[in-house]
Amino acid sequence: MDFALTQEQRQIRDMVAEFVDDEVVPRAAEIDETDEFPRDLIDEMADLGLMGMPIPEEYGGAGLDYHAYPEALVEISRGSGGLGTVVAAHVSLACNMIYEFGDDAQREEYLVPLAEGREIGAFALSEAGAGSDVPAMETTAEPVGGDAGESDAAGDDGDPDAYVIDGGKLWISNGSVADTVVLFAKTDPEAGGKGISAFVVRPEEDDGFHVEGTEHKLGDKGCPTAELRFDEMEIPADRRLGEEGAGFVQALKTLNGGRITIAARSIGLAEAALGDALEYAQDREQFDRPISEFQAIQHKLADMDTKIQAARYLMHAAADRKTRSDRYVKEAAQAKLFASEMAREVCNEAIQIHGGYGYTTDFAVERYYRDAKLNEIYEGTSEVLRNTIADELL
């Protein structure tokens, strides 16, 4: 298989890399220190068409394929892990949910402003007691009005007029700054995973939507991770995405594609760490010569680059199957699993090469390490991904 980028894909990657070097890298330490959402950078990326990269142009996106989009996200994450999460949660989760499962009216009303970058999206699935165990969620969406829960011989579809949502969500990336939230709730609490449905929520419009606060995290700064609460929040029935009870399957399909972009975030952080380690190893002298001349350091650098290239290959292998509409559950899980663990290992070695300096905030490698750890947790922990791969094998 040849995953060499086309000229157009290389041009897109190089354009994003130039933007990252000019605008993101100089701000990355500040974003990490203040943990402030970089709205101005989001606006600049919107002008470049980066907030809806894989979404078709007719819905405000750039129409990029799943090779160019992850490569662009590699570059964004190389500059700032938090900014990489902002984009991945917005595009891979919120935008893709509405594109894949919304109707034309929903795409026009909610997807277009997201893909154009005029609005920010979030994906609200996890709860305090329902992380990996999604069917354990307790948030409910009770149908009200119309013919809720009924159908008749005349062909009525039984759709309600509205839903009243109660509950809460935790660990929601972009949750406190989102204009549109894709929310999952149980329309049939007795049906387990088959009773979960997906909805479009508008925080500024929907009474009963509350942001309880944002988390103080080890890394991933600049991407607000929020706790949300819904108190008798009534939304119109036309905000439901697809059929009642289809939400769990929709979420799994969306997260599957998202794992490719978390692999991309991992690769970006690892590339940043390797780049800094290479520069430092050639500048730092011990025993009257650069430490890059010591075989112990050379072997670390060789292993770091080899792991990065292997992760990139797995990422593109999954992207290739997705692009060809083949089943790619195993490939996406393997790409995220390997890339996320690889990023932590590479960032750890970058700190080791820097020695004591690497443990201080004077050098960026400690930030890369903190940002990289998240990749092993969100959108499928490493443990869950191993279960997924084993299920596919068996």
Side-chain angles (χ1 to χ4, degrees), residues 344-355:
R344 173 179 47 79
E345 293 166 3
V346 167
C347 292
N348 180 67
E349 289 288 47
I351 291 175
Q352 195 72 13
I353 289 171
H354 280 71

Side-chain angles (χ1 to χ4, degrees), residues 31-210:
I31 292 170
D32 182 66
E33 182 177 353
T34 64
D35 199 14
E36 292 181 1
F37 180 68
R39 181 73 223 204
D40 59 323
L41 289 178
I42 299 298
D43 291 339
E44 291 182 51
M45 291 198 298
D47 292 339
L48 295 173
L50 303 183
M51 298 307 291
M53 287 182 272
I55 303 301
E57 294 180 12
E58 63 184 298
Y59 295 115
L64 300 187
D65 61 36
Y66 251 76
H67 293 287
Y69 167 43
E71 283 292 342
L73 194 56
V74 166
E75 297 300 328
I76 294 169
S77 302
R78 177 177 61 79
S80 166
L83 193 58
T85 302
V86 169
V87 176
H90 168 85
V91 178
S92 301
L93 302 184
C95 287
N96 274 339
M97 264 295 297
I98 299 173
Y99 174 65
E100 292 290 343
F101 305 109
D103 57 32
D104 286 340
Q106 291 168 332
R107 290 172 178 172
E108 287 292 340
E109 184 169 0
Y110 307 118
L111 177 57
V112 170
L114 290 174
E116 290 179 347
R118 293 184 282 116
E119 296 186 352
I120 298 296
F123 182 87
L125 180 66
S126 295
E127 299 183 6
S132 298
D133 184 11
V134 173
M137 74 169 57
E138 297 181 354
T139 298
T140 60
E142 181 180 354
V144 295
D147 296 289
E150 300 178 7
S151 60
D152 56 38
D156 186 89
D157 60 10
D159 274 353
D161 292 331
Y163 291 88
V164 176
I165 300 176
D166 287 282
K169 297 292 179 179
L170 198 61
W171 319 119
I172 308 307
S173 299
N174 299 342
S176 62
V177 296
D179 303 282
T180 293
V181 177
V182 175
L183 171 67
F184 296 84
K186 284 188 173 178
T187 46
D188 184 354
E190 305 303 319
K194 295 182 179 180
I196 297 172
S197 302
F199 303 89
V200 172
V201 172
R202 301 282 289 172
E204 293 298 318
E205 302 173 17
D206 299 333
D207 292 336
F209 183 101
H210 305 283

